[in-house]
Amino acid sequence: MSHGRAKQTSMEIARDELFSHIRRCGVLEAEAGERREWMKDTVEYLGERYSDLSKPELEELAQIGQRYCQPAIAYGPIDTEQSDREPDEVSTT
């Protein structure tokens, strides 16, 4: 009787590897165009690495990666000038 985990498919391994690459390489901070190019190149690399993945699986992998790169909550610099104003203060600019 086996108590271990079921063997992962190539798709699952490639997906996990893609997530790892995304976290390590800093692509989350890249511009959208650079992120798309990076994703295209990375999925192509994963297709070579896991040659049993079909074209539809690679397309799905790219979609999963693109969704993973989209923040659930927008982040970026906060406009501290706006947040430091008193509530009754009106901007004249």
Side-chain angles (χ1 to χ4, degrees):
M1 189 157 116
S2 174
H3 290 86
R5 289 182 16 189
K7 185 176 179 184
Q8 287 186 305
T9 65
S10 292
M11 179 65 171
E12 292 168 328
I13 295 168
R15 179 205 59 216
D16 293 348
E17 190 171 328
L18 176 61
F19 290 164
S20 178
H21 285 302
I22 290 169
R23 286 191 307 270
R24 283 194 331 251
C25 78
V27 72
L28 295 173
E29 289 81 30
E31 296 293 323
E34 293 173 326
R35 200 170 29 234
R36 281 190 297 274
E37 186 65 28
W38 181 92
M39 190 66 64
K40 177 182 163 282
D41 293 344
T42 302
V43 169
E44 184 178 304
Y45 161 77
L46 291 170
E48 292 169 3
R49 186 162 157 78
Y50 301 98
S51 59
D52 59 327
L53 293 177
S54 66
K55 183 173 177 147
E57 287 175 316
L58 292 172
E59 290 170 357
E60 180 182 354
L61 191 61
Q63 290 174 355
I64 290 168
Q66 289 166 353
R67 282 194 311 267
Y68 187 81
C69 288
Q70 297 299 316
I73 299 173
Y75 58 91
I78 297 172
D79 184 358
T80 56
E81 185 177 317
Q82 288 285 343
S83 62
D84 288 344
R85 282 195 195 126
E86 292 297 319
D88 59 344
E89 197 174 336
V90 177
S91 175
T92 57
T93 56

